[in-house]
Structure formats: C-alpha cells, structure tokens
Amino acid sequence: MLYDAHIHLERYSQEALTQLFSDLRIDGMIAVSTHLASCRRTQALARQFPGVVYPAYGFHPEQPFPGPWQQEALFDFIQQHQQEMVAVGEVGLPYYTRQQYAEQGRILDRQPYIELLEQFILLAKTLRKPVVLHAVHEDAVIACDLLERHAWHKAHFHWYKGPAQTTQRMMQQGYFVSVTPDIFYKPATQQLVQQYPLECLMVETDGPWPFRGPFSGQMTHPNMVVSVVEKIASIKQLAITQVAAQLSSNTRRFYHLWPKDHPYL
Ligand SMILES: [Zn+2]
C-alpha cells in the first residue's frame, strides 16, 4: 500500500490521465489545487475516482495575489465542500516568484501572502483539517511562526527544503515533510531523509512537475513514489516493506483517508 502525498492531478491532459490510471500501481493520492477553477477540476476527479483521489482545496502562492472577490469565492467553496476534502492546500508563500522578482531588480511584497496564509491556517484549524504547505527555505520559518502562533500542528511541508535549524524546529513540532523523486540526485533531499524521523515522512511526486536523473524525459507518474520509498529504505538502512508500511500509515493517518466503503462515497 502506498500513496502519492502531493500531486496536481488536474493539470494532466485527459490523455495523460487515462494512461496514469490505467497503469496505477499505488493505492491513492492527495490531489492538491492551485485556485478556484483548479479546486473544481480536482473535485470532479475525486468524484470520478473515489477512494483513490483525495482532494485538497487551496491557493498556490506562486501566482499573482488574488483579489478580495476571488478570495471570498475560494473560501466559500472550501467551506461548502469541506466534508469531501482531506486538507486545505496547496497554500504557502511565493519563494520562487520573489526570487524571480529579485533577479529583475524588483521586490515582491510578501506581506499580503503572509496574511492570506494566516487565513488559510485559521480555516484549517476551524475545519480540523491538515494544511498542505509550499513554504521553502526562509519562508518555512514564517510558516512555522504562524502555525505556532495559532497552535495548529497538522502541517505537511511538501517538497521541503530549508536550513538545518528550521528542520529541527519542524521535527520538534511533529510537522510532516514529503520527499520527491529528486531524492535520486539531490544530496540535500538525501540528508533530509537521513535526519527526519520516518514517522513524520511521506512521499510525493508534485506531478506533473518533471524530474531529472533516472526519471529524465518521463511523464511524472504517481508510481514513481515506489522508487522513492526504495531509496528512503536504502538511506535509512531499513527493509523496504517496513518503510512502505510506515509511510503508507503516515499518509492514511495524517489525512484521515477514508476506507473505500465510506458512506460519503
Ligand atoms: Zn505542488
């Protein structure tokens, strides 16, 4: 049993989705959303593949800041469909956009994004749902501050990368992190896995994001988490079956994944 803990399923073409589901070898996936239209597409996929596609609804931070009406419509959608979603996400801070701005000699004001992230964390806490975070490097510190300020601990830092001090802080708070197929060619990911407790790890693809190394030129498929699990087992010097069982149970418990005969389905 294995899960892809973070994928943008609605961003695959119809043709790619047909292929993806026809050779799916894992049990399920957490399908995150990037804005309202994306939430609706994710919802449709979750309804089409119950017990396999588990939806999360949110607003990806690496895009222009949403206006008040857009924010209101999104928050309304999340409130309305809270029962069928497993988490609030993907939400976070615009690290890469800010980098791009800096390269062009411009400054992106992060403050509105921080305030929006705070609203999402408060919403997650009210709805008792986990929050899926895109908060890397120094932005992870801000996310940790917000989570601690509002005493909400159900946090999943997806594709986490950051300074050792922040990683320590996250471990102490019991936050979850997930790693991608870049574990095959990124020493920092290998170090993170060495350091982070297996009980707080998950695996993901962030598909359709493409990978290099052994996955170069391939469509990112959720099955790739199988290789990621094998790599984690070799780094941690544990049996693959033990690692697979632990990671699978981590994802199921963290996201409260419903059994396939759940009354909602
Ligand atoms: Zn993502």
Side-chain angles (χ1 to χ4, degrees):
M1 265 198 154
L2 271 181
Y3 296 88
D4 181 344
H6 187 103
I7 185 168
H8 296 263
L9 201 59
E10 55 87 18
R11 288 167 79 171
Y12 286 83
S13 68
Q14 195 50 54
E15 195 190 353
L17 283 175
T18 308
Q19 193 207 322
L20 189 152
F21 282 102
S22 72
D23 43 54
L24 190 67
R25 289 191 288 124
I26 61 164
D27 292 271
M29 56 199 99
I30 308 300
V32 296
S33 311
T34 50
H35 47 64
L36 182 56
S38 156
C39 290
R40 293 208 166 97
R41 290 195 292 268
T42 303
Q43 180 183 50
L45 287 164
R47 288 175 176 177
Q48 197 183 343
F49 299 100
V52 178
V53 175
Y54 298 95
Y57 301 137
F59 185 86
H60 198 292
E62 305 282 2
Q63 57 184 327
F65 194 73
W69 297 113
Q70 271 175 290
Q71 288 182 39
E72 196 184 321
L74 179 60
F75 277 78
D76 282 354
F77 177 90
I78 295 174
Q79 292 276 6
Q80 262 171 40
H81 301 286
Q82 51 170 292
Q83 277 182 312
E84 57 190 295
M85 74 171 192
V86 294
V88 171
E90 172 171 4
V91 298
L93 297 168
Y95 181 81
Y96 299 107
T97 311
R98 233 159 55 89
Q99 297 281 104
Q100 276 174 7
Y101 268 59
E103 280 162 23
Q104 297 159 1
R106 297 191 292 159
I107 294 167
L108 175 69
D109 181 12
R110 192 164 51 177
Q111 196 52 37
Y113 289 91
I114 295 174
E115 285 165 19
L116 182 60
L117 175 57
E118 188 165 23
Q119 292 309 310
F120 279 125
I121 289 172
L122 287 168
L123 176 67
K125 185 178 179 178
T126 306
L127 302 179
R128 317 293 301 165
K129 299 279 183 179
V131 61
V132 187
L133 293 160
H134 169 101
V136 294
H137 303 293
E138 63 261 29
D139 284 354
V141 178
I142 300 171
C144 285
D145 288 345
L146 290 173
L147 289 164
E148 285 176 36
R149 184 182 312 157
H150 297 294
W152 189 233
H153 298 280
K154 289 213 74 174
H156 171 190
F157 285 73
H158 107 88
W159 206 338
Y160 170 71
K161 25 212 165 312
Q165 213 183 344
T166 313
T167 311
Q168 281 295 334
R169 180 177 175 187
M170 286 165 49
M171 280 163 50
Q172 277 159 12
Q173 294 291 330
Y175 301 150
F176 279 71
V177 302
S178 52
V179 293
T180 71
D182 84 353
I183 193 171
F184 280 86
Y185 52 89
K186 281 270 167 78
T189 308
Q190 295 160 5
Q191 276 162 24
L192 175 70
V193 162
Q194 220 149 28
Q195 198 185 355
Y196 222 84
L198 190 64
E199 292 69 29
C200 290
L201 275 178
M202 292 189 269
V203 284
E204 60 152 313
T205 61
D206 203 23
W209 185 271
F211 290 93
R212 296 189 274 120
F215 309 101
S216 188
Q218 291 179 39
M219 177 189 93
T220 294
H221 193 292
N223 289 347
M224 286 177 181
V225 299
V226 176
S227 308
V228 180
V229 168
E230 288 166 5
K231 188 72 179 170
I232 293 174
S234 93
I235 291 170
K236 289 214 172 273
Q237 296 184 309
L238 295 167
I240 293 170
T241 48
Q242 183 194 342
V243 172
Q246 181 68 53
L247 295 181
S248 165
S249 139
N250 290 351
T251 312
R252 287 191 72 89
R253 280 185 298 122
F254 183 82
Y255 282 108
H256 293 279
L257 301 188
W258 312 300
K260 286 186 172 127
D261 57 356
H262 188 276
Y264 166 71
L265 307 169

